[in-house]
Amino acid sequence: MSTTSEVKNKLSAKAKQGIKPSPYKTIQDLLKRMQPEIQKALPKHMDADRIARIALTEMRKNPKLLQASQASLLGAIMTAAQLGLEPGVLGHAYLIPYYNRKTNSTEVQFQIGYKGLLDLVRRSGEIQNIDVHEVCDNDEFEYEYGLEPKLRHKPALKDRGKAYAYYAVAKFKDGQYSFLVMSKEDVEKIRSRSKSPNSGPWVTDYDAMAKKTVIKQLCKYLPMSIEVQKAIAADETTKQEIREDMVEEVPDETDWIDTDYQEIPPDESEEEVSPSESVTHIKQLYKKLEEYDENKKKETIEMIKAKYSVKSLALLSEEQAKEILTSLS
């Protein structure tokens, strides 16, 4: 059985002989050698060769993936393979490169798309059907929770306007329904806490990510199989190892503390920040925290998060960051 390290050693030997493969060729060779392990992880209806081709297509579309650590890239591909979700245009899953400030390297995070999440829930056998829609300005829409919940949505046939809400509806085997409605403001709160709020699918496929968000929130109230619960737990994770059970046996290596704010080198960043969104004091705050030893730094970050009720220091306002800097001086 070929391991990631064995393949790397063979490629390193080639380099010493004067043959230096391109990053694309290196990953192509790695995927070819790992095909037997990928095939073991796949559901019967999927093929390792197809997964490799899809992954290589994604790398051609997004060269940043070639700059990422091979371990995290393979981990994301293997996680997608085990869940039976194809990264790419179908919107079932995404391979998201991001810069980890702690390790000073680009890594790949696996993310489930809303269509992939719908597929997983339908596969579970616990729900007869589940669907999700956006609500636009010119649609007819009303809903009500309580003892007699109701949901009515009649989309406009044209000129629907902008989306202002999203909802998901699940139909149980006994014919009963459960639904959840989220405003765009609710979705924005969750987007702001994600690993890549200003790049990747949140920019290129906002509606799809908003739909995924409302589905995930509804799933918290639905009877889910163990398999679906495991799949949802694998969403937005970074894996650095290859094992037969990527979901349970491989820990998530995403560092939510040390990568809260990412000063990504210009050639690795696709994020665009509005000129009005100044982060001067937040930058100064991170520089100040770098002066502390690791334990004091983590303790201070957790204290700040608790005091200001934020999941990430990057979500602090400039005034809050200024206030914290004053107290730390």
Side-chain angles (χ1 to χ4, degrees):
M1 178 173 70
S2 297
T3 65
T4 306
S5 59
E6 287 173 348
V7 175
K8 286 182 180 178
N9 289 337
K10 290 177 181 178
L11 293 172
S12 177
K14 286 185 179 181
K16 289 179 180 178
Q17 295 170 11
I19 304 171
K20 188 175 181 181
S22 67
Y24 182 85
K25 177 63 174 172
T26 299
I27 295 298
Q28 189 177 41
D29 290 344
L30 192 55
L31 286 171
K32 186 175 181 179
R33 294 178 183 276
M34 294 295 293
Q35 271 196 12
E37 317 315 316
I38 295 174
Q39 189 62 58
K40 288 180 184 178
L42 287 174
K44 292 181 180 179
H45 68 281
M46 298 186 75
D47 177 73
D49 185 58
R50 175 174 171 77
I51 288 292
R53 290 198 306 271
I54 290 171
L56 291 169
T57 298
E58 289 302 294
M59 290 171 221
R60 283 195 293 268
K61 288 164 50 181
N62 187 354
K64 266 189 167 185
L65 291 168
L66 295 172
Q67 302 170 11
S69 71
Q70 292 182 358
S72 66
L73 177 58
L74 282 175
I77 293 170
M78 286 292 287
T79 302
Q82 287 193 355
L83 297 179
L85 300 175
E86 294 185 358
V89 294
L90 294 178
H92 285 177
Y94 300 95
L95 307 178
I96 307 297
Y98 70 94
Y99 189 76
N100 187 326
R101 193 173 59 86
K102 183 178 180 180
T103 61
N104 293 320
S105 65
T106 302
E107 296 176 353
V108 180
Q109 186 183 74
F110 167 75
Q111 287 191 12
I112 301 174
Y114 91 91
K115 292 181 180 178
L117 195 54
L118 286 174
D119 186 37
L120 288 168
V121 174
R122 288 166 180 159
R123 276 191 234 160
S124 73
E126 302 290 333
I127 305 296
Q128 184 173 325
N129 191 35
I130 185 167
D131 210 349
V132 61
H133 296 280
E134 73 278 9
V135 184
C136 299
D137 291 330
N138 298 324
D139 295 351
E140 293 181 27
F141 181 70
E142 62 176 328
Y143 75 98
E144 183 177 318
Y145 294 127
L147 296 179
E148 296 182 3
K150 66 178 182 180
L151 175 70
R152 179 179 176 273
H153 181 207
K154 186 177 180 180
L157 290 178
K158 60 180 181 178
D159 301 325
R160 292 182 64 193
K162 294 182 179 180
Y164 68 87
Y166 299 84
Y167 68 92
V169 182
K171 183 178 181 180
F172 300 109
K173 290 181 176 180
D174 63 1
Q176 297 296 310
Y177 288 88
S178 180
F179 68 86
L180 179 69
V181 179
M182 292 182 69
S183 68
K184 191 168 183 179
E185 288 76 13
D186 293 333
V187 171
E188 279 293 294
K189 290 177 183 177
I190 292 177
R191 181 195 66 83
S192 67
R193 297 196 298 268
S194 71
K195 170 57 68 178
S196 304
N198 300 311
S199 63
W202 273 114
V203 173
T204 60
D205 301 275
Y206 184 92
D207 274 355
M209 291 298 288
K211 290 175 180 178
K212 168 189 164 182
T213 298
V214 72
I215 295 168
K216 283 185 73 173
Q217 297 304 308
L218 177 61
C219 282
K220 295 178 180 179
Y221 307 99
L222 302 179
M224 292 283 102
S225 67
I226 297 298
E227 289 73 23
V228 172
Q229 292 178 38
K230 286 171 59 178
I232 293 175
D235 188 27
E236 299 185 2
T237 58
T238 304
K239 308 285 188 173
Q240 299 281 7
E241 302 175 41
I242 304 298
R243 297 187 188 176
E244 290 191 7
D245 188 339
M246 294 295 298
V247 176
E248 290 195 329
E249 294 182 7
V250 183
D252 178 17
E253 298 292 341
T254 304
D255 193 316
W256 293 101
I257 294 177
D258 288 333
T259 58
D260 277 336
Y261 179 80
Q262 301 141 15
E263 293 193 66
I264 306 178
D267 62 334
E268 293 191 7
S269 175
E270 291 177 351
E271 293 192 11
E272 295 183 2
V273 180
S274 168
S276 64
E277 296 175 353
S278 170
V279 292
T280 304
H281 292 103
I282 294 177
K283 283 185 177 180
Q284 291 176 4
L285 174 58
Y286 272 90
K287 288 180 180 178
K288 180 67 177 178
L289 291 171
E290 289 300 324
E291 298 174 6
Y292 297 165
D293 62 49
E294 198 64 25
N295 288 335
K296 184 179 178 182
K297 175 182 166 185
K298 288 185 177 182
E299 183 180 308
T300 305
I301 288 175
E302 291 306 311
M303 178 187 69
I304 293 170
K305 287 181 179 180
K307 181 177 178 180
Y308 292 91
S309 300
V310 293
K311 295 283 186 179
S312 162
L313 298 195
L315 300 179
L316 291 167
S317 69
E318 277 293 283
E319 285 301 313
Q320 289 172 332
K322 184 178 180 180
E323 179 182 303
I324 296 165
L325 278 167
T326 302
S327 66
L328 294 179
S329 300

